[in-house]
Amino acid sequence: MSMPTDHPLPPYQLAAGKLRKQIQEGKLKPGDRLPSSRELRAELGIANATVHSALRVLREEGLVYSVPNRGTYVSDPSTDITGEFKIDYNPPAWYSAAKERAASGDELAPSPVTEALTQTLEQLRQMAAEITALKQHVATLEGKVHQLEQKDAR
């Protein structure tokens, strides 16, 4: 699976595309370990920095995750990019209506359990947003490090 030399896309994007296709076709399944950087370098005929850039792209897309000193693995699609279970709970419609009526003094407040769950959900959503922002910042910093490494290699 060597890389074409006359393609308009950069080699790291081509490499990411080939790995992405293997994941999408099920050749690499959730939890599978990707080949090592050395193996990918040999298989694709690309430089080590190119392999790392391709893996960075796939990490940013949430398709893979890396474990230091262990390798890179295919992500489980039932989890989001933070690696945590997706937050898909929305309070029932009656809860919002009861809360509005309680605020106006017309009715008792919603149950304490529902109130606690809703507050916890909001905190989780805020933390997920903060994690996403941090991951974007880390990806930006990784890109800058990659650029510096390429300059040093010249």
Side-chain angles (χ1 to χ4, degrees):
M1 178 181 6
S2 64
M3 306 300 294
T5 57
D6 60 345
H7 200 281
L9 286 176
Y12 78 95
Q13 288 182 350
L14 293 174
K18 287 183 184 260
L19 292 169
R20 185 183 305 108
K21 185 176 179 184
Q22 288 180 0
I23 293 168
Q24 290 169 340
E25 291 176 348
K27 293 177 184 172
L28 291 169
K29 296 176 179 34
D32 284 354
R33 185 177 178 275
L34 270 61
S36 69
S37 295
R38 181 177 294 163
E39 292 168 327
L40 288 172
R41 221 175 42 226
E43 182 181 335
L44 300 173
I46 56 178
N48 194 44
T50 306
V51 169
H52 289 287
S53 293
L55 293 176
R56 179 180 42 82
V57 167
L58 296 176
R59 269 193 308 277
E60 289 171 358
E61 292 174 2
L63 293 174
V64 300
Y65 64 94
S66 296
V67 178
N69 301 317
R70 297 280 186 239
T72 301
Y73 298 85
V74 177
S75 297
D76 184 343
S78 68
T79 60
D80 67 14
I81 62 170
T82 65
E84 300 297 327
F85 288 103
K86 292 181 181 177
I87 301 169
D88 59 359
Y89 171 81
N90 287 312
W94 60 262
Y95 169 79
S96 299
K99 192 170 183 174
E100 288 175 16
R101 285 192 299 268
S104 69
D106 292 343
E107 193 174 298
L108 295 175
S111 87
V113 172
T114 304
E115 184 71 28
L117 286 173
T118 303
Q119 289 174 357
T120 302
L121 172 65
E122 185 54 36
Q123 291 171 344
L124 287 171
R125 286 186 174 145
Q126 289 172 355
M127 288 188 295
E130 290 172 10
I131 289 170
T132 299
L134 287 170
K135 286 189 173 228
Q136 291 171 347
H137 184 65
V138 167
T140 300
L141 292 174
E142 285 176 341
K144 290 179 181 180
V145 167
H146 177 69
Q147 289 173 349
L148 290 172
E149 287 173 345
Q150 286 182 334
K151 286 181 184 177
D152 288 344
R154 293 180 193 159

